[in-house]
Amino acid sequence: MATVQVLASVVDKEPRRLAEEMNIETDAVIVNQCDHYGVESFCCKGRNIRVFHMAERGVGLSRNTALMRADGDICLFSDQDIVYEPGYEQKILHAFEECPSADMIVFNIEVGEERRTYHNVRKKRVRWYNCGRYGAVSFAVRREKLLESGVTFSLLFGGGAKYSAGEDSLFLKQFMDKGYRVYASPVTIGREKEGDSTWFSGYHEKFFFDRGVLYHFLYGYLARIWALRFLLAHREKVCRDISVKEAYRVMREGIKSQRQ
């Protein structure tokens, strides 16, 4: 029988308490970004939890560290603010059984309205033009397929990196660019606890500049078109304190910075 393994990137947490708070019911690898190094393991609900404490920071680095040490059949990426639904392992395994051609499935994680970027209402194929809406905590991927692809998380994007966010979108697109199949599922496997984001501090100039850099890597020569599309589609949410025109200018600067 296939197994699901949670790969969690966390910051300065007590692992045993965290495993209970997250309702982890499967094996897990937790990478704890803290002020020391060390390795420990323990059981939670009869499953094996391995913890790697490391002083380096960066969500991409910590996710890659967890992936290098994973041994489950299906890897489920996670953060410290995710609480899983009871029986999430069977939900995930059933979804893969129903879609044997899927190399990765993107599940629903309930989040607050302000942070919601998607909600799957039906099963569908994920394509390059809509991959930017999904966060890593929704990804469940066949480990052997991911290792075969050679795709890892970018160290340039995400919490603790130079650019604030986007490592998940790049990861997903690169995986699909290698020819692997990704599907979206309407099944909900968990929720995000409300609290302060580790990277999001508002829709300010850095947000739009970093978004421009991300769009360069995601969309190439179409980056400017997709930047304008993003701003027009979400202007009521993201352009409350800055005009669409100014936000577009800053996004263009971000795009241009990678073409010099």
Side-chain angles (χ1 to χ4, degrees), residues 26-87:
T26 60
D27 288 354
V29 176
I30 298 175
V31 176
N32 185 33
Q33 300 164 82
C34 55
D35 60 359
H36 65 277
Y37 296 92
V39 179
E40 63 176 297
S41 63
F42 59 91
C43 286
C44 179
K45 300 180 182 179
R47 307 304 287 268
N48 183 42
I49 313 295
R50 289 183 290 146
V51 184
F52 297 86
H53 302 280
M54 55 185 284
E56 293 85 1
R57 293 293 194 270
V59 66
L61 176 61
S62 59
R63 291 204 197 285
N64 291 338
T65 299
L67 180 59
M68 289 168 58
R69 290 155 176 80
D71 54 12
D73 298 307
I74 296 171
C75 292
L76 177 63
F77 294 103
S78 190
D79 289 337
Q80 63 195 40
D81 53 1
I82 301 300
V83 180
Y84 288 109
E85 295 277 328

Side-chain angles (χ1 to χ4, degrees), residues 33-207:
Q33 300 164 82
C34 55
D35 60 359
H36 65 277
Y37 296 92
V39 179
E40 63 176 297
S41 63
F42 59 91
C43 286
C44 179
K45 300 180 182 179
R47 307 304 287 268
N48 183 42
I49 313 295
R50 289 183 290 146
V51 184
F52 297 86
H53 302 280
M54 55 185 284
E56 293 85 1
R57 293 293 194 270
V59 66
L61 176 61
S62 59
R63 291 204 197 285
N64 291 338
T65 299
L67 180 59
M68 289 168 58
R69 290 155 176 80
D71 54 12
D73 298 307
I74 296 171
C75 292
L76 177 63
F77 294 103
S78 190
D79 289 337
Q80 63 195 40
D81 53 1
I82 301 300
V83 180
Y84 288 109
E85 295 277 328
Y88 68 88
E89 181 176 33
Q90 291 306 313
K91 291 181 179 180
I92 292 170
L93 292 175
H94 182 66
F96 275 96
E97 288 172 0
E98 285 192 325
C99 190
S101 64
D103 299 307
M104 180 193 294
I105 297 180
V106 178
F107 291 92
N108 282 331
I109 297 288
E110 293 297 330
V111 301
E113 184 66 32
E114 182 68 18
R115 284 174 51 79
R116 183 177 300 158
T117 58
Y118 80 97
H119 182 79
N120 302 321
V121 296
R122 60 182 176 84
K123 174 185 168 184
K124 62 181 180 181
R125 184 86 176 267
V126 178
R127 303 289 187 177
W128 68 269
Y129 50 80
N130 63 4
C131 69
R133 68 185 64 179
Y134 300 108
V137 296
S138 64
F139 299 172
V141 60
R142 297 187 192 272
R143 183 175 62 89
E144 287 191 0
K145 293 294 186 180
L146 182 54
L147 294 178
E148 178 184 275
S149 74
V151 173
T152 58
F153 284 93
S154 171
L155 303 186
L156 274 178
F157 294 88
K162 182 177 182 179
Y163 303 112
S164 53
E167 80 289 346
D168 33 24
S169 301
L170 285 173
F171 178 88
L172 191 54
K173 184 175 185 297
Q174 289 170 1
F175 189 65
M176 291 189 298
D177 284 346
K178 293 290 186 76
Y180 295 92
R181 292 173 176 261
V182 179
Y183 289 85
S185 168
V187 174
T188 298
I189 60 171
R191 63 178 175 84
E192 180 187 77
K193 292 189 294 184
E194 291 191 14
D196 294 335
S197 170
T198 58
W199 69 268
F200 181 73
S201 57
Y203 298 108
H204 42 56
E205 189 164 310
K206 178 170 172 53
F207 171 87

